[in-house]
């Protein structure tokens, strides 16, 4: 990597270019090689439990899963988060970079380490999580050295992605800073995608979660809610109720995910191409988000993008772990080809 110092160029711009993030594209959701920034928490993952020797060590986290899938699809994507200085943090940085995710926006907390979670599955493939994340480095992301520069870089994104989990792991001032970043991205011509992904255990109470949810909708262009999460937040209701709520908040494009029953997009029911018996549903919604957003960035219609999301999610649920290793059945090449 070469860095040429030119007259009249500021330090931040030089760092921006040296990190490989310099760009002039600002075409929005349907332009070539749009710059994507994803915000959240990446963690160490234990999957495939089966006794003391049956666990496999990997990595995951809802928005991280989406970022990795987008990178595998050839998109230009950076992950904004924080890790520590420990060996696990070093391994995570290397693994994400090997997947094609830009780690220039991964900040360092010298006093904390990444979170950890374990996945167990019931006979139907439904996953259950156990977390150790209360003191993770990502919780202090917006208070760390280097965050000012990282936010300047992130504000130039064409697409910003975050979730309710991204918000839940942050203190109140961190959430406010993330909402401000979303506002800046939109003011610069970019768009913001938000996935509910509500986990009640991460929130002190329902009122706090509802307030964060409402604030997020006000800075969102592309909504990716899941029907179960919305029911847990707002009470019982169907896809039309979710669509009405998000549209009333000003979200222009809304995809209501319904798990194995497909999704509702633009008021149209888009079913998965094949009904599957999943092995592991970890990361299915995250994969759908990646497939959908990649297809929209490539100029496909919302309904066509939903089919792409179903295809990627379908492959994920037939394999173990939130981010399965690429195998012969992986649909990345086909989805990239259109």
């Amino acid at each position: 990597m070469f860095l040429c110092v030119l007259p009249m160029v500021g330090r931040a711009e030089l760092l921006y270019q040296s990190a490989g993030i310099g760009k002039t594209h600002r075409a929005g959701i349907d332009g070539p090689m749009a710059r994507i920034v994803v915000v959240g928490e990446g963690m160490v993952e234990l999957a495939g439990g089966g006794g003391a020797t049956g666990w496999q060590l990997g990595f995951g986290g809802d928005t991280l899963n989406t970022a990795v899938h987008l990178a595998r699809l050839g998109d230009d994507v950076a992950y904004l988060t924080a890790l520590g200085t420990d060996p696990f943090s070093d391994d995570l940085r290397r693994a994400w970079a090997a997947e094609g995710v830009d780690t220039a926006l991964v900040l360092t907390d010298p006093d904390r380490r990444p979170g950890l979670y374990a996945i167990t599955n019931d006979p139907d493939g439904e996953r259950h999580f156990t977390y150790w994340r209360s003191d993770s480095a990502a919780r202090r992301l917006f208070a760390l050295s280097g965050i000012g520069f990282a936010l300047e870089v992130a504000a130039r994104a064409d697409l910003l992605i975050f979730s309710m989990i991204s918000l839940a792991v942050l203190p109140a001032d961190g959430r406010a800073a993330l909402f401000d970043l979303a506002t800046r991205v939109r003011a610069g011509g970019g768009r913001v995608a938000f996935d509910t992904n509500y986990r009640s255990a991460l929130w002190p109470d329902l009122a706090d979660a509802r307030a964060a949810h409402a604030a997020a909708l006000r800075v969102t262009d592309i909504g990716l809610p899941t029907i179960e999460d919305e029911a847990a937040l707002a009470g019982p209701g169907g896809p039309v109720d979710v669509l009405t709520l998000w549209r009333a908040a000003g979200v222009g494009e809304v995809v209501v995910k319904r798990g194995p029953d497909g999704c509702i997009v633009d008021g149209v029911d888009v079913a998965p191409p094949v009904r599957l018996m999943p092995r592991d549903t970890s990361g299915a919604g995250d994969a759908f988000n990646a497939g959908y957003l990649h297809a929209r960035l490539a100029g496909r219609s919302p309904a066509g993008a939903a089919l792409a999301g179903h295809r990627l999610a379908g492959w994920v649920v037939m394999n173990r772990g939130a981010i399965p290793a690429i195998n012969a059945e992986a649909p990345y090449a086909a989805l990239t080809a259109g």
Side-chain angles (χ1 to χ4, degrees):
M1 180 75 65
F2 295 96
L3 175 61
C4 179
V5 180
L6 299 175
M8 303 302 292
V9 179
R11 177 176 178 272
E13 185 68 18
L14 288 171
L15 288 171
Y16 193 89
Q17 293 169 0
S18 71
I21 342 179
K23 66 173 183 61
T24 57
H25 172 66
R26 177 60 76 187
I29 195 67
D30 56 357
M33 288 306 291
R35 177 62 174 175
I36 306 169
V37 173
V38 185
V39 185
E41 179 181 26
M43 295 180 288
V44 178
E45 175 192 89
L46 293 175
T53 61
W55 294 98
Q56 297 177 338
L57 190 65
F59 59 87
D62 66 330
T63 57
L64 174 66
N65 303 339
T66 297
V68 169
H69 289 304
L70 286 167
R72 289 179 175 184
L73 288 164
D75 290 304
D76 178 10
V77 55
Y79 198 55
L80 175 57
T81 190
L83 294 171
T85 58
D86 56 284
F88 287 106
S89 292
D90 294 340
D91 288 344
L92 291 179
R93 286 186 182 88
R94 284 191 291 266
W96 301 348
E99 288 282 4
V101 176
D102 187 338
T103 60
L105 302 185
V106 178
L107 303 186
T108 300
D109 186 330
D111 302 316
R112 294 195 180 193
R113 295 170 176 79
L116 168 70
Y117 71 98
I119 303 172
T120 53
N121 298 92
D122 61 27
D124 295 326
E126 188 58 43
R127 78 280 196 212
H128 303 277
F129 297 91
T130 304
Y131 292 100
W132 298 267
R133 69 194 308 180
S134 60
D135 293 315
S136 69
R139 290 179 176 266
R140 292 206 302 191
L141 170 63
F142 288 93
L144 292 176
S145 173
I147 188 60
F149 165 67
L151 291 176
E152 288 301 315
V153 173
R156 299 175 63 176
D158 295 300
L159 179 64
L160 179 74
I161 304 170
F162 70 101
S163 75
M164 281 286 283
I165 294 179
S166 308
L167 297 172
V169 301
L170 295 171
D173 56 349
R175 291 176 206 162
L178 180 49
F179 294 142
D180 180 68
L181 172 61
T183 300
R184 292 174 64 189
V185 168
R186 299 176 86 196
R191 300 184 75 184
V192 176
F194 172 62
D195 178 7
T196 311
N197 237 357
Y198 171 59
R199 301 291 181 267
S200 60
L202 296 178
W203 294 90
D205 54 55
L206 182 58
D208 196 29
R210 284 176 171 170
H213 180 266
L217 296 192
R218 290 194 289 269
V219 295
T220 295
D221 299 290
I222 304 170
L224 298 162
T226 301
I227 191 70
E228 294 86 357
D229 293 336
E230 291 297 307
L233 273 169
V240 174
D241 300 301
V242 175
L243 179 63
T244 300
L245 173 68
W246 284 57
R247 286 276 175 82
V251 183
E253 182 172 328
V254 184
V255 183
V256 183
K257 294 174 288 185
R258 301 188 298 148
D261 295 323
C263 65
I264 303 291
V265 56
D266 281 349
V268 177
D269 188 351
V270 182
V274 180
R275 192 82 175 189
L276 301 169
M277 294 293 292
R279 296 183 61 196
D280 183 351
T281 58
S282 305
D286 312 326
F288 176 91
N289 293 348
Y292 180 87
L293 292 170
H294 169 80
R296 292 292 285 126
L297 288 166
R300 295 184 65 181
S301 69
L307 287 173
H310 286 326
R311 184 169 183 183
L312 185 54
W315 171 72
V316 166
V317 302
M318 298 308 294
N319 293 275
R320 293 290 183 187
I323 310 176
I326 297 175
N327 56 25
E329 291 76 37
Y332 298 108
L335 293 175
T336 301

